[in-house]
Amino acid sequence: MNSILKLSRHFLKLEPIKYSNRAISIYPHLKLKEIYETQNGKELLIEGVHIESPRSKYSLKMEDANKCSLCALDLEVKHTDVLILSQYVRNDGCMLPRRVTGLCGKQQRRVSSLVTMAQKAGLMSNLNPANSNKDPKKRNGYKKYNKYFDESTLKKY
Amino acid sequence: MSSLKRVQQWATFARIWHIYDASWQNPFQSAGLLKKYLMGTYKPIYHPLNDCGDHVVVINSGDIALPGDEWKKRVYFHHTGYPRGASWTLAWQLHKKDPTLVLKKAVYNSMDGNLQRRYTMERLHIYPDANVPADIMKNISNQLATPREVPKRLDHYSEKEVEEFPKIMDYPKNYILR
């Protein structure tokens, strides 16, 4: 709809179309690197430096490199452990894929079900798309009331 | 009679007022627990004809929690007695009308249907939030332990707590942070 309006305005007033903020990044590594420009006389040096992940300072060191991180720790994660589960989601609440999380198949399936449980119980309501209603009490119908889940009902793989 | 025995005697025959915080508690699990105090079955002098039950004040009954999708699966049936007088109300619809009713019905149904049940229910005081009248609050001398732990929402942790919590997962090097 927006693009149609823009086009119609273009044809009526004969204005040039302006795309001021381009939200597409052509080079994927651009966002992890910071670009520095240094002028050395006639030489201009432009370099991209890797930014350190904000998590690396507090990340745990795994002893067993063969296992995935959750198997190595042997944790019994529940859907109320939002401080752990929130590490595996994007800031819109979506589960991250396995190539990013680095979990084994069993744990990936278990964590994604636990994330769903936590989201339904409204425990991670701040990790939601920007247009959604963040307060679980303002949800529609039966969804606004408190609910909990039993982890023993999860399917065992 | 020693002074300890004397106080024990008073405590046994007195009506104790208990308080119970129902937030994030399963009403049906809570009912079995509250029933014991309302009927006084935990007392050594208990007898069905012995009126020895305690008072229980339940607060935050509006914040009770049901497991899974039970809010829309549990149905309350009522019949007016006239033809086509049947009605079925879902648990969340009943809770919306009166946030004390799901818990009240759970306690009522957990007890045997005898002549004592209505009088036992008189000793149960349910409030949808933490606002309890002062004349009831002044009697309370005991708080009942809740079976379920109240979960903490992620946005109720401080930013520092979330940041400094040990990280199990770190992003791979080519990941684009959003």
Side-chain angles (χ1 to χ4, degrees):
Chain A
M1 193 63 205
N2 209 7
S3 56
I4 296 166
L5 278 175
K6 209 173 241 179
L7 276 175
S8 62
R9 204 186 300 139
H10 167 70
F11 285 120
L12 286 171
K13 294 184 180 175
L14 297 170
E15 278 178 359
I17 307 171
K18 284 176 194 168
Y19 293 104
S20 55
N21 52 341
R22 189 181 65 181
I24 314 157
S25 109
I26 300 164
Y27 188 51
H29 290 258
L30 214 62
K31 285 196 175 173
L32 257 187
K33 285 176 178 173
E34 209 149 33
I35 293 167
Y36 291 99
E37 287 182 26
T38 35
Q39 190 89 38
N40 272 346
K42 280 188 176 178
E43 269 184 10
L44 175 67
L45 182 71
I46 303 172
E47 55 176 352
V49 181
H50 262 292
I51 308 165
E52 205 194 1
S53 159
R55 290 185 183 180
S56 59
K57 203 175 159 189
Y58 301 101
S59 61
L60 287 176
K61 277 174 189 162
M62 302 299 161
E63 287 177 5
D64 197 347
N66 295 327
K67 287 179 178 174
C68 81
S69 52
L70 272 181
C71 287
L73 285 169
D74 197 22
L75 284 176
E76 207 178 294
V77 186
K78 289 180 177 173
H79 77 284
T80 48
D81 301 331
V82 281
L83 287 174
I84 294 174
L85 293 179
S86 63
Q87 296 176 21
Y88 294 101
V89 295
R90 265 190 267 147
N91 63 0
D92 64 349
C94 279
M95 182 73 191
L96 287 167
R98 215 176 128 187
R99 67 187 142 80
V100 178
T101 58
L103 293 173
C104 65
K106 275 185 185 178
Q107 293 288 2
Q108 175 77 13
R109 268 177 293 211
R110 188 180 157 82
V111 169
S112 55
S113 334
L114 289 174
V115 164
T116 314
M117 286 175 169
Q119 292 281 22
K120 281 186 175 178
L123 300 176
M124 294 204 298
S125 54
N126 56 336
L127 298 179
N128 259 332
N131 60 347
S132 71
N133 201 344
K134 307 254 172 176
D135 189 4
K137 296 265 172 188
K138 286 180 184 169
R139 286 178 184 172
N140 201 19
Y142 70 94
K143 291 174 200 156
K144 74 171 97 169
Y145 302 112
N146 292 346
K147 62 173 82 64
Y148 66 87
F149 294 91
D150 187 4
E151 282 82 14
S152 66
T153 58
L154 284 177
K155 205 176 164 187
K156 284 181 184 69
Y157 292 101
Chain B
M1 191 185 258
S2 70
S3 57
L4 177 73
K5 282 277 176 193
R6 192 160 65 237
V7 173
Q8 205 177 19
Q9 178 88 349
W10 294 340
T12 310
F13 286 97
R15 277 201 203 282
I16 303 168
W17 285 65
H18 307 275
I19 194 165
Y20 182 78
D21 187 357
S23 53
W24 285 93
Q25 304 302 317
N26 185 335
F28 307 99
Q29 195 183 356
S30 308
L33 192 141
L34 300 181
K35 181 176 95 168
K36 193 175 87 179
Y37 293 95
L38 286 170
M39 292 164 70
T41 48
Y42 73 101
K43 294 185 180 183
I45 57 162
Y46 173 75
H47 185 271
L49 298 178
N50 181 3
D51 187 17
C52 65
D54 295 338
H55 286 264
V56 177
V57 180
V58 180
I59 58 168
N60 295 327
S61 77
D63 294 333
I64 52 169
L66 289 186
D69 54 357
E70 215 175 301
W71 279 117
K72 59 171 181 173
K73 295 287 180 193
R74 186 172 281 273
V75 181
Y76 289 89
F77 175 77
H78 175 72
H79 202 290
T80 59
Y82 289 95
R84 291 193 286 159
S87 70
W88 289 267
T89 313
L90 301 180
W92 70 270
Q93 291 167 333
L94 187 75
H95 195 67
K96 194 180 175 187
K97 279 201 167 153
D98 187 350
T100 63
L101 267 183
V102 174
L103 195 100
K104 191 180 174 187
K105 279 173 175 287
V107 176
Y108 185 80
N109 290 330
S110 73
M111 291 190 285
D112 291 340
N114 52 25
L115 290 175
Q116 283 302 313
R117 178 158 69 163
R118 301 269 172 171
Y119 300 107
T120 312
M121 285 301 289
E122 292 281 291
R123 277 180 246 121
L124 178 66
H125 314 271
I126 309 177
Y127 297 94
D129 44 26
N131 298 327
V132 184
D135 58 329
I136 287 199
M137 203 64 188
K138 73 178 180 194
N139 300 319
I140 289 161
S141 59
N142 183 33
Q143 184 177 6
L144 298 179
T146 48
R148 292 190 61 79
E149 202 182 328
V150 178
K152 195 172 176 182
R153 267 163 62 174
L154 186 62
D155 51 341
H156 290 175
Y157 285 101
S158 70
E159 234 167 73
K160 202 186 167 200
E161 274 178 305
V162 176
E163 197 201 323
E164 291 184 356
F165 188 80
K167 295 288 178 288
I168 301 171
M169 196 210 85
D170 200 359
Y171 300 113
K173 263 209 161 181
N174 60 351
Y175 182 70
I176 308 162
L177 260 181
R178 266 185 255 267

